[in-house]
Amino acid sequence: MEDSALSRLIVISNRVQVPRSDDEGAQGGLAVALFAALRQQKGIWFGWSGDTSDSRELRFEVNSDVTTATIDLSEQDVEEYYNGYANRTLWPLFHYRLDIAEHERDFQGGYRRVNQNFADTIKSHIQSDDLIWVHDYHLIPLGDILRSKGIQNKIGFFLHIPWPPKRLLTALPEHRELVETLFAYDVVGFQTEEWLDSFRDYVANHLDATIEGDEIRVGGRTIRAIACPIGIDTKDFVEARSHKDAITAYSRMVESSIGRDLIVGVDRLDYSKGLQERFTGYERFLSKHPERAAKVYLLQIAPPTREAVQSYRDIRMALNAQSGLINGTHADIDWVPIRYVNRGMSRSMLGGIYRAARIGLVTPLRDGMNLVAKEYVAAQDPDDPGVLILSQFAGAAEQLKEALLVNPYSADDIAEAIENALRMPREERIERWKSMFDCIKSQDVNWWLKKFINEMKKF
Ligand code: ADQ
């Protein structure tokens, strides 16, 4: 970034995870993106270590030029803040799952307490010209708490998940207090125009906001609210094609697929990713196209996450049963229709698998962006690319319009898209891929970083 010498960047997110290329899915796209931000603009990445203890000690480490500062959380914090308010209240609600969102006062107290602790811990490390960038739904009130402690720096907030429509959000008992805290920031970023529109609609109706262009004024504070879609490190993904793990994974997939087309799904095991509906759609395809039996298979990679939360244990059980049932019904002595793998893969291996796949099946019911869709596109062979089937409800659908867009709730839609993708001529695949690749190349993770940071500097 051209003027990196001017100010340090303090990135604050729930978890701090230093990405390593050999890690097996230990970190998602967020960690990779934030790490890239700090490699370009010096600063500190602050957040939870992932460990549980009663220590309040802040631990500094330097990895590949990036300084991280981490603290542990107590068991009660993890239960009430992380497993509780973040993942049992906000995550389901923001993903339109009112039916499983839980509203417990203890969760809310834990959320407030951890945000307060984060602010207390980081405050003395902030210098006057630092830019502060807070990430995601775990830390919505953090900017407001920092302001109450006298921090006057520019502070930005980026929401990685969807912003729900106002009628859904009002099901959160403390919706108003929570949204008001966002007005402590200078810039608030969303992944898509759709989430930004929902936010504007809420503040216009419930906070009596004045809206002029990107600027929104509420009670004497003005923020800039923008859509700023996150990208992947496209260049790195393309270069990773020649990494030995990518080549090995690609060869393994090609060898084990002889005469069969590979359809790949890669997701954290989360109910928002639409895995049950995806399996149902794939089964519909198998039933409608018996001539495709043994000529195609679905590799679904889905490492379990958030297993302390019941709804995640439930979905895991449901998927085990569903994949077993589909395999039991359709398999033959030398063919299994679904290979269901519950573990993470290194990023290079994933690259090789994506490249070997004729179809990337990305069908979340609701997703802030979805980086897997972009990674699939980046990994393709330009001369013989695969086809991306993408949910119309993923944020990525605003950018990747040349994908085969589907309604993830419709088994028929998914089944039809699979058949269309398998039939798609090479010229059409190349044409669609090219325009998606141009998009992820020009709007990559560096574009995202630069756009957001420039917005903060504008203010
Ligand atoms: P996630 O919900 O985690 O991210 P996603 O955007 O798809 O979803 O990112 C997942 C990342 O984890 C990808 O980089 C993927 O490669 C990696 N991953 C997934 N399964 C894996 C596996 N089995 N092995 C190894 N790696 C795996 C949240 C929001 C998204 C938003 C991102 C970034 O929910 O909507 O796109 O943050 O803002």
Side-chain angles (χ1 to χ4, degrees):
M1 216 155 290
E2 62 265 12
D3 44 1
S4 56
L6 288 181
S7 38
R8 296 190 315 168
L9 183 64
I10 309 280
V11 169
I12 310 175
S13 65
N14 167 57
R15 273 300 294 277
V16 171
Q17 285 171 306
V18 175
R20 291 204 322 262
S21 60
D22 57 344
D23 265 357
E24 302 217 325
Q27 76 284 313
L30 173 58
V32 175
L34 296 185
F35 196 75
L38 284 157
R39 272 224 299 238
Q40 296 185 34
Q41 180 140 346
K42 290 276 173 261
I44 303 174
W45 182 7
F46 173 80
W48 178 27
S49 60
D51 295 331
T52 308
S53 82
D54 289 325
S55 152
R56 283 279 162 268
E57 189 199 345
L58 183 61
R59 286 187 301 272
F60 284 90
E61 265 181 63
V62 180
N63 289 285
S64 314
D65 281 349
V66 173
T67 303
T68 56
T70 54
I71 51 168
D72 295 349
L73 293 182
S74 70
E75 263 174 41
Q76 189 186 356
D77 289 343
V78 174
E79 203 37 43
E80 294 174 353
Y81 150 81
Y82 181 69
N83 292 327
Y85 202 75
N87 288 330
R88 285 161 70 181
T89 307
L90 294 183
W91 176 275
L93 184 70
F94 279 47
H95 288 86
Y96 298 46
R97 290 296 305 269
L98 264 185
D99 55 324
I100 52 171
E102 297 173 50
H103 304 284
E104 299 287 338
R105 290 250 161 86
D106 288 351
F107 292 176
Q108 210 191 328
Y111 185 69
R112 185 80 202 165
R113 187 174 64 244
V114 171
N115 272 270
Q116 192 83 42
N117 284 346
F118 269 37
D120 287 337
T121 312
I122 194 78
K123 184 179 167 267
S124 57
H125 298 275
I126 295 173
Q127 297 170 6
S128 59
D129 60 351
D130 288 343
L131 289 175
I132 303 172
W133 193 6
V134 178
H135 288 263
D136 230 0
Y137 59 102
H138 314 84
L139 301 174
I140 293 172
L142 185 63
D144 191 50
I145 302 173
L146 285 170
R147 294 279 182 233
S148 73
K149 293 181 185 299
I151 298 293
Q152 292 178 350
N153 300 50
K154 288 182 181 168
I155 317 183
F157 176 81
F158 187 79
L159 184 69
H160 290 260
I161 65 175
W163 184 271
K166 65 171 186 287
R167 292 226 183 274
L168 276 185
L169 188 54
T170 52
L172 184 71
E174 57 286 355
H175 60 91
R176 195 187 163 94
E177 291 85 333
L178 188 73
V179 182
E180 275 172 350
T181 64
L182 281 172
F183 285 81
Y185 294 102
D186 297 298
V187 178
V188 175
F190 300 90
Q191 301 271 27
T192 66
E193 293 291 341
E194 185 182 347
W195 316 141
L196 173 61
D197 281 350
S198 298
F199 175 73
R200 290 158 68 99
D201 190 29
Y202 174 92
V203 296
N205 279 277
H206 291 276
L207 301 186
D208 207 16
T210 314
I211 303 179
E212 270 174 44
D214 289 347
E215 295 194 350
I216 306 184
R217 190 168 187 79
V218 166
R221 280 278 314 167
T222 301
I223 61 168
R224 280 177 95 81
I226 58 163
C228 185
I230 195 169
I232 59 164
D233 192 337
T234 308
K235 184 163 167 277
D236 190 59
F237 232 92
V238 170
E239 281 166 5
R241 286 179 193 164
S242 46
H243 188 285
K244 72 170 180 7
D245 288 351
I247 295 170
T248 310
Y250 176 78
S251 312
R252 268 178 71 186
M253 292 319 303
V254 170
E255 277 161 27
S256 72
S257 316
I258 294 193
R260 289 182 182 140
D261 284 316
L262 163 61
I263 304 173
V264 75
V266 174
D267 309 78
R268 281 185 309 99
L269 216 168
D270 191 299
Y271 48 81
S272 67
K273 303 293 180 185
L275 294 166
Q276 285 169 284
E277 291 76 4
R278 185 180 308 169
F279 283 2
T280 306
Y282 176 63
E283 183 176 32
R284 182 71 52 90
F285 160 79
L286 293 176
S287 306
K288 279 186 164 175
H289 296 280
E291 74 284 2
R292 295 279 186 192
K295 297 208 174 73
V296 63
Y297 70 99
L298 170 64
L299 170 65
Q300 177 62 55
I301 302 174
T305 51
R306 305 177 189 169
E307 287 202 284
V309 178
Q310 184 63 40
S311 47
Y312 286 78
R313 295 198 294 268
D314 292 346
I315 174 107
R316 188 172 185 189
M317 297 287 285
L319 287 165
N320 284 346
Q322 198 185 359
S323 57
L325 197 64
I326 296 173
N327 281 340
T329 309
H330 295 273
D332 211 332
I333 50 168
D334 59 353
W335 172 61
V336 181
I338 303 184
R339 292 189 201 170
Y340 180 42
V341 181
N342 282 136
R343 71 174 183 89
M345 306 275 156
S346 69
R347 294 180 66 71
S348 342
M349 270 187 83
L350 273 187
I353 296 170
Y354 289 140
R355 190 179 176 86
R358 179 67 191 272
I359 297 176
L361 195 51
V362 184
T363 54
L365 303 179
R366 204 53 68 170
D367 216 331
M369 174 52 60
N370 194 295
L371 296 176
V372 169
K374 295 185 173 182
E375 292 168 0
Y376 177 77
V377 172
Q380 295 309 298
D381 174 354
D383 290 329
D384 190 17
V387 179
L388 176 66
I389 297 179
L390 178 62
S391 161
Q392 67 193 73
F393 301 129
E398 263 189 22
Q399 291 172 295
L400 304 178
K401 296 194 172 74
E402 301 301 321
L404 292 186
L405 295 178
V406 293
N407 175 350
Y409 292 96
S410 162
D412 285 323
D413 235 27
I414 293 177
E416 202 174 281
I418 294 175
E419 180 60 18
N420 288 342
L422 290 171
R423 285 169 184 255
M424 191 181 289
R426 185 163 158 265
E427 301 69 48
E428 184 179 345
R429 283 188 277 124
I430 292 178
E431 202 177 307
R432 286 176 181 268
W433 174 81
K434 261 194 184 142
S435 84
M436 292 192 283
F437 186 72
D438 285 349
C439 169
I440 61 162
K441 202 169 142 201
S442 57
Q443 300 187 348
D444 67 354
V445 70
N446 296 315
W447 171 87
W448 171 73
L449 291 170
K450 207 164 162 175
K451 181 170 160 69
F452 194 91
I453 289 169
N454 283 343
E455 286 290 342
M456 275 208 269
K457 289 179 178 166
K458 255 191 219 167
F459 221 83

